[in-house]
Amino acid sequence: MKLGALFQSGVPESARDLDITGLTADSRRVKPGFLFAALKGVAAHGRDYLAQAKANGAVAVLSGGDLNADAGIPEIIDANPREAFALAASEFYPRRPHTLVAVTGTNGKSSTVDFLRQIWTHTGKRAASLGTLGAIGPNGVIDLGHTTPDPVAIHETLQNLADGGVNHAAMEVSSHGLEQERAAGLAFDAGAFTNLTQDHLDYHQTMDAYRAAKMRLWDLVKRPGVAVINADSPEADNFEHGARDSGGHIAAALTVVTAGWRAGPEGLKIVEIQPRPNAQTLTLRWSGKEYDVELPLIGEFQ
């Protein structure tokens, strides 16, 4: 792919027709013809590994303008290099399942995306889930390494799933992944929030910053789109407000669907739970009608 096709701006005119064979932010994974993203990390800066990337065959480098020296190869400078890198990955790997949804929250992400994959599969759809458990699809499991992997892994995996016939995919999106723009370039049909409890404060420092990172999910959901919110979370009102506000543009607000004991009339409300030895019977209300559902899992949290 041509370098000029990967970025909206910042590409030197003389390098626009340069052929790029791959892209990575890990100098150890660079192969001949690759673009290397010299990103600033928590403990190190990618610029310190530029020499290794070039030795391995890098032909271009993406930076935030902070290499502190002449790169010696074409340099693309962007004020937000992480986002630019993710958007480039989405251009390099443009195909993905037709229906794509995301789940964020401190707890419950892995279970939720896996249950959704099973539900879709049960209804005859070719489905996959991506997250802590890896990418699970009709053809097996792929280890992804992180809850929300790097942008190249995300987009490459989604393209491979789509090429394998998967048309529905659910993925976990962590606060780190949102903060670091790893999911940029994706447009979700729906997003879901499970809960927010004290975690990852070594990275986010405060609960306000942690909440703000999670809230960024709504920016990645298509308009019109759906925001599914756990009504029983103490943070439900904050996340519902964030989904409905959408920057103050009423026309761009998401449709909110609440779920749980406190779900509103537009949501999926738990009316009653009857525990069984190895399961539980749920009485649920949806669109004014009640349904009894056998859930083969124990524990009200399920």
Side-chain angles (χ1 to χ4, degrees):
M1 194 173 197
K2 302 298 183 183
L3 181 62
L6 291 177
F7 299 94
Q8 295 183 351
S9 62
V11 179
E13 192 61 35
S14 60
R16 294 191 64 81
D17 289 331
L18 184 65
D19 286 318
I20 300 298
T21 60
L23 57 168
T24 183
D26 186 338
S27 60
R28 298 166 297 182
R29 296 184 179 181
V30 171
K31 296 179 181 179
F34 267 43
L35 167 94
F36 172 62
L39 305 177
K40 182 180 179 181
V42 176
H45 198 301
R47 67 190 177 204
D48 298 331
Y49 303 93
L50 179 57
Q52 181 184 10
K54 290 166 61 178
N56 287 341
V59 296
V61 59
L62 168 68
S63 81
D66 52 357
L67 292 184
N68 297 339
D70 180 26
I73 53 177
E75 180 184 1
I76 302 90
I77 298 176
D78 195 282
N80 188 345
R82 286 189 176 278
E83 180 184 39
F85 180 52
L87 294 175
S90 74
E91 293 291 338
F92 198 86
Y93 299 103
R95 297 184 298 281
R96 57 203 56 138
H98 177 267
T99 298
L100 190 63
V101 304
V103 178
T104 197
T106 306
N107 302 303
K109 296 187 299 296
S110 299
S111 299
T112 302
V113 298
D114 194 70
F115 292 160
L116 184 49
R117 174 187 58 80
Q118 294 179 50
I119 291 169
W120 276 334
T121 301
H122 186 69
T123 62
K125 297 174 174 61
R126 287 184 62 81
S129 58
L130 295 82
T132 305
L133 302 178
I136 306 174
N139 298 321
V141 182
I142 303 171
D143 182 18
L144 297 177
H146 297 87
T147 299
T148 307
D150 74 85
V152 174
I154 289 175
H155 290 285
E156 183 179 15
T157 300
L158 289 173
Q159 177 159 300
N160 288 338
L161 290 171
D163 291 347
V166 170
N167 48 37
H168 285 64
M171 64 179 288
E172 298 181 53
V173 184
S174 67
S175 58
H176 291 75
L178 289 164
E179 184 79 17
Q180 297 173 6
E181 306 279 9
R182 295 183 210 164
L186 296 177
F188 297 103
D189 297 279
F193 165 71
T194 60
N195 50 60
L196 190 73
T197 59
Q198 188 164 314
D199 198 8
H200 302 305
L201 295 189
D202 56 328
Y203 179 83
H204 296 289
Q205 301 300 314
T206 67
M207 284 298 293
D208 286 344
Y210 184 31
R211 181 187 303 106
K214 293 287 191 188
M215 201 82 73
R216 294 174 71 167
L217 175 63
W218 303 144
D219 295 331
L220 300 178
V221 180
K222 297 176 185 177
R223 270 57 172 181
V226 177
V228 181
I229 296 172
N230 172 17
D232 300 323
S233 167
E235 292 282 344
D237 287 346
N238 288 327
F239 278 81
E240 182 173 348
H241 176 76
R244 293 192 189 280
D245 179 59
S246 297
H249 301 292
I250 297 175
L254 297 171
T255 298
V256 173
V257 176
T258 54
W261 289 104
R262 297 180 176 88
E266 82 295 343
L268 182 64
K269 182 177 179 59
I270 299 174
V271 178
E272 186 180 2
I273 296 178
Q274 297 180 355
R276 308 294 189 205
N278 295 303
Q280 49 193 317
T281 299
L282 311 180
T283 301
L284 305 175
R285 183 179 299 135
W286 173 256
S287 295
K289 293 183 62 177
E290 291 191 0
Y291 303 85
D292 288 333
V293 178
E294 289 291 327
L295 183 66
L297 298 164
I298 59 173
E300 184 177 325
F301 73 93
Q302 298 280 15

